[in-house]
Amino acid sequence: MEAYNSFLGNSPGWYKKTILAFLILNPILLMTVGETATGWIIIGEFILTLAMALKCYPLQAGGLIAFEVVLLKLTSPDTVFHEIEANLEVILLLVFMVAGIYFMKPLLMFIFGKIFIKVRSKVVLSLLFCFIAAFLSAFLDALTVTAVLIGVFVGFYQVYHRVHSTNEDFDKSGVADRKELSRDTLEQFRSFLRSLVMHGAVGTALGGVCTIVGEPQNLLIGEKVGWHFMDFFYAMAPITMPVLVAGLATCALLEITGKFGFGDKLPEKVRDIIQGYLEEQDEKRTKSEKYALVVQAIAAVFLIVALALHLAPVGLIGLAIIVLQTAFTGIIDEHSIGHAFEEALPFTALLAVFFVIVGMIHDLHLFKPIISYVLAQDEAVQPALFYAANGILSMISDNVFVATVYINEVKAAFDAGTISREQFESLAIAINTGTNLPSVATPNGQAAFLFLLTSALAPAIRLSYLKMIIMALPYTIVLGGVGLLGIIYFL
């Protein structure tokens, strides 16, 4: 009984039983229905562990399923290692870049705090976050931009939490701020933060699809086709520019209508308290803290320039800004530095587990029948079919993996003389937009979304797997639909 109570800790009893049932049934399914059907069922099981992220971190339940996948020889340790090796840059990004952003939090709070207070219109604020995230993601990396967003919103939530647990009076009303804040105010504040962070997260997809450096798979597709930065941008523009406009219009419309969990404004009482807190922080800021802000600003400029010019892999640039910020601000204690890595390492481990599932998909060729079917169709409808197939598969699997599988198959067809150069380029555009746009539907396809779901921010603002899907739904329909129309009419 003690073993059962300890298994998956405080997660719901039905969930413990479900995971145990999965572990028992999978070997039986393998013997009865075969590898392919078992593989698809295991993908569904893994998605459930992601959906339960707020009740039980997916690393444990998903890790047990992944461990069993290897034991059942549905994939091999060599394949898993190859997947991790191929995605080493993403892993280094998570380990070092997120930690680098951690040391930049005072600067982020200083800048975004001013924006938060000065811009009173929720529609304008939402558009601002969405556009800034899109612009930055076009030149930097969606995970880096998401790490910045998480850092900012965690900072604001911590201000609220601090106010709620002390007797301070930041808004100078003569009454302790804690007594002026009700449960309804907290829920409204959480809803306000949820909507802004989702607008920002979708913004990373809107910008990431546009350029060759926006997402990891973009670079891979660009290399296969032989496109450079501007070639890639111009090739994608007939689809990505209308999608960007439609995405920003959707952002504004959601805030105006208040549908799908959007629309809640920053409570005036919370605004006054945060403004009072930020003003007090400005007044209390010491010379060393002002100096630290300057160092962080220099590090931020270095970060943007280094990423834009691709001076080194993203993770190594992250390591550089950790060294620069800690060395020049006097953070030399190992314990203080260690806190910076707490946010990203659990997700890094989860990503490694995810690569076991990706390895299984690869070894069992689960996507092969879909690719073969699409390539057998008439050339005129191939781009739209590729877009749809990539979009659907990217909702349940890693979009980098889906793009890699598809572009390699298409490149092989081009090298064999099966398709023309023009058709090859059209299919490459369909693959890029298909893996980037409809994949906003779930946290599975976009690493940035999965990172957000498993971050410390998600439970604080009650952002669950299901909530993310509901809030992303209008964006999925608009981005996916406009992208498909672009593929049909503009290619």
Side-chain angles (χ1 to χ4, degrees):
M1 191 63 186
E2 187 57 41
Y4 177 77
N5 289 336
S6 298
F7 179 68
L8 298 183
N10 294 323
S11 56
W14 70 265
Y15 184 62
K16 293 183 182 186
K17 291 171 185 173
T18 302
I19 297 300
L20 286 171
F22 287 162
L23 297 174
I24 294 166
L25 284 172
N26 287 339
I28 300 170
L29 287 169
L30 182 60
M31 290 185 289
T32 53
V33 299
E35 289 183 339
T36 302
T38 304
W40 281 106
I41 290 167
I42 287 172
I43 291 172
E45 294 171 0
F46 192 77
I47 289 172
L48 176 66
T49 68
L50 298 177
M52 290 294 291
L54 294 190
K55 296 290 185 183
C56 175
Y57 195 73
L59 176 62
Q60 288 72 34
L64 288 171
I65 293 169
F67 185 59
E68 187 177 56
V69 165
V70 176
L71 288 178
L72 294 175
K73 299 191 183 314
L74 295 173
T75 189
S76 68
D78 287 342
T79 300
V80 176
F81 183 77
H82 174 72
E83 291 295 338
I84 292 172
E85 193 176 36
N87 289 277
L88 183 60
E89 198 167 328
V90 175
I91 291 169
L92 287 176
L93 182 153
L94 285 167
V95 173
F96 295 127
M97 185 60 77
V98 176
I101 298 299
Y102 173 88
F103 291 111
M104 221 174 268
K105 274 185 183 177
L107 177 68
L108 295 173
M109 281 296 292
F110 179 76
I111 294 170
F112 282 96
K114 297 287 188 276
I115 296 172
F116 230 58
I117 301 306
K118 299 290 184 189
V119 181
R120 301 187 77 87
S121 167
K122 177 71 185 304
V123 176
V124 174
L125 194 61
S126 299
L127 285 169
L128 204 57
F129 268 91
C130 191
F131 181 77
I132 289 172
F135 181 79
L136 291 175
S137 293
F139 297 98
L140 308 183
D141 180 274
L143 276 170
T144 305
V145 177
T146 306
V148 171
L149 288 172
I150 290 169
V152 169
F153 290 115
V154 165
F156 283 120
Y157 190 81
Q158 285 172 342
V159 170
Y160 185 98
H161 185 71
R162 177 185 164 182
V163 167
H164 210 270
S165 56
T166 65
N167 287 313
E168 295 182 79
D169 180 25
F170 291 114
D171 65 347
K172 307 292 188 292
S173 64
V175 180
D177 294 333
R178 178 171 56 84
K179 295 179 181 178
E180 296 179 286
L181 299 175
S182 66
R183 181 75 185 175
D184 290 341
T185 307
L186 173 59
E187 289 307 319
Q188 189 180 341
F189 183 51
R190 280 173 172 159
S191 180
F192 171 80
L193 293 181
R194 269 199 308 270
S195 58
L196 281 185
V197 80
M198 282 301 293
H199 289 312
V202 172
T204 64
L206 286 171
V209 68
C210 294
T211 66
I212 198 167
V213 297
E215 294 280 354
Q217 69 267 28
N218 299 18
L219 190 58
L220 174 71
I221 291 166
E223 285 174 355
K224 294 286 183 185
V225 184
W227 284 328
H228 297 293
F229 188 93
M230 292 311 297
D231 300 324
F232 188 97
F233 177 78
Y234 288 136
M236 299 298 160
I239 289 90
T240 56
M241 290 301 104
V243 167
L244 176 62
V245 172
L248 292 172
T250 304
C251 172
L253 198 60
L254 286 170
E255 286 303 327
I256 292 167
T257 60
K259 301 294 186 183
F260 295 94
F262 294 94
D264 272 328
K265 297 175 173 59
L266 179 64
E268 280 302 319
K269 182 53 63 180
V270 177
R271 181 190 297 277
D272 293 340
I273 290 168
I274 290 178
Q275 183 171 359
Y277 171 82
L278 293 173
E279 288 171 354
E280 187 174 298
Q281 291 298 105
D282 288 345
E283 290 169 8
K284 287 182 176 178
R285 193 168 283 117
T286 63
K287 284 185 178 179
S288 63
E289 287 171 337
K290 289 177 182 176
Y291 166 73
L293 285 178
V294 173
V295 172
Q296 290 159 23
I298 293 169
V301 171
F302 168 76
L303 170 66
I304 293 168
V305 171
L307 286 170
L309 299 178
H310 304 286
L311 300 181
V314 180
L316 297 184
I317 295 170
L319 178 60
I321 65 167
I322 291 173
V323 173
L324 289 172
Q325 289 179 103
T326 53
F328 287 98
T329 57
I331 303 172
I332 55 172
D333 173 57
E334 183 182 359
H335 187 68
S336 300
I337 296 169
H339 286 305
F341 294 89
E342 290 174 358
E343 176 74 20
L345 284 182
F347 179 70
T348 308
L350 174 61
L351 203 60
V353 166
F354 186 55
F355 290 140
V356 177
I357 306 301
V358 171
M360 178 192 72
I361 293 170
H362 179 269
D363 284 353
L364 299 183
H365 307 289
L366 295 183
F367 294 167
K368 183 75 174 176
I370 303 167
I371 298 168
S372 301
Y373 170 78
V374 174
L375 281 174
Q377 304 308 304
D378 183 77
E379 279 199 2
V381 298
Q382 279 184 10
L385 288 175
F386 261 87
Y387 177 89
N390 276 266
I392 293 166
L393 293 175
S394 292
M395 292 178 191
I396 59 173
S397 179
D398 172 44
N399 59 1
V400 178
F401 168 73
V402 174
T404 303
V405 171
Y406 271 80
I407 196 64
N408 285 338
E409 291 289 338
V410 171
K411 181 69 162 63
F414 171 67
D415 290 340
T418 309
I419 57 175
S420 65
R421 172 71 191 185
E422 185 182 1
Q423 183 70 358
F424 177 40
E425 291 188 2
S426 294
L427 293 181
I429 294 168
I431 291 168
N432 180 66
T433 51
T435 51
N436 275 300
L437 298 175
S439 58
V440 301
T442 71
N444 304 41
Q446 293 270 358
F449 277 45
L450 190 59
F451 182 40
L452 173 60
L453 175 69
T454 55
S455 70
L457 178 65
I461 62 173
R462 304 296 187 265
L463 184 62
S464 65
Y465 186 93
L466 184 60
K467 191 71 177 174
M468 282 189 82
I469 290 175
I470 292 168
M471 295 183 78
L473 180 60
Y475 278 115
T476 305
I477 294 168
V478 173
L479 272 54
V482 173
L484 181 60
L485 289 173
I487 293 291
I488 293 170
Y489 293 109
F490 298 143
L491 277 190

